[in-house]
Structures are given as structure tokens and as C-alpha cells.
Amino acid sequence: MAAAKVLAEAGLHIEVYASTESERQNGAPNGIYRGSDGTIHIDLNAGDNGQGTVAYALAHETTHFIKDWSATKYQTYADIL
């Protein structure tokens, strides 16, 4: 959550929500990037079903943001990884 706070302070719109047990059992995503307005939604319960953690979900959704923000910078980032 500290990383989400830092990204929010840098200007990204981060929304944290808490999924229910039922939603997770039905395959609810750990996070969502909404390209229409650049919002990153992160499930506070990400990882409860063994699919990852909040940090991984945040990193994944932030990568989508970077790709939309600058394809060139995204490619540089991908090359580094």
C-alpha cells in the first residue's frame, strides 16, 4: 500500500477497493487499469486466492498506465526488464 500512496502522490489516480470472498471465488481481478481516464483500481484483498499480491497487482496495472502514457518510455522499461 505504501507504493500505491507514493504513486498517488506522484499524480496517478489510484483507487483501492476490497473484493468479497464470493467475488474472488468467481474470478474477480486483483486490479484493473482503466485507460479512458488513467485510473488504477487495486483490490486490497489481492492475493487472498493465491493469484498474487497487492504489490504485484499494482506493478502490473502501473505497467498498463506507462504503456498508455508513453509507448517509447514503455519500450525502454520493457527492454530494461
Side-chain angles (χ1 to χ4, degrees):
M1 292 311 303
K5 184 177 179 180
V6 169
L7 290 171
E9 288 171 355
L12 274 69
H13 188 125
I14 310 286
E15 292 187 5
V16 178
Y17 64 95
S19 63
T20 65
E21 177 79 23
S22 175
E23 289 170 330
R24 289 190 301 283
Q25 287 179 352
N26 288 317
N30 290 324
I32 300 167
Y33 168 68
R34 191 170 57 214
S36 61
D37 65 2
T39 300
I40 296 172
H41 301 267
I42 299 297
D43 183 0
L44 185 60
N45 295 319
D48 280 0
N49 58 5
Q51 294 181 3
T53 64
V54 171
Y56 292 126
L58 180 60
H60 177 85
E61 301 309 329
T62 301
T63 300
H64 290 296
F65 170 82
I66 292 168
K67 190 172 185 179
D68 270 5
W69 177 58
S70 172
T72 303
K73 290 182 181 187
Y74 169 79
Q75 190 57 54
T76 301
Y77 175 68
D79 290 345
I80 290 168
L81 295 178

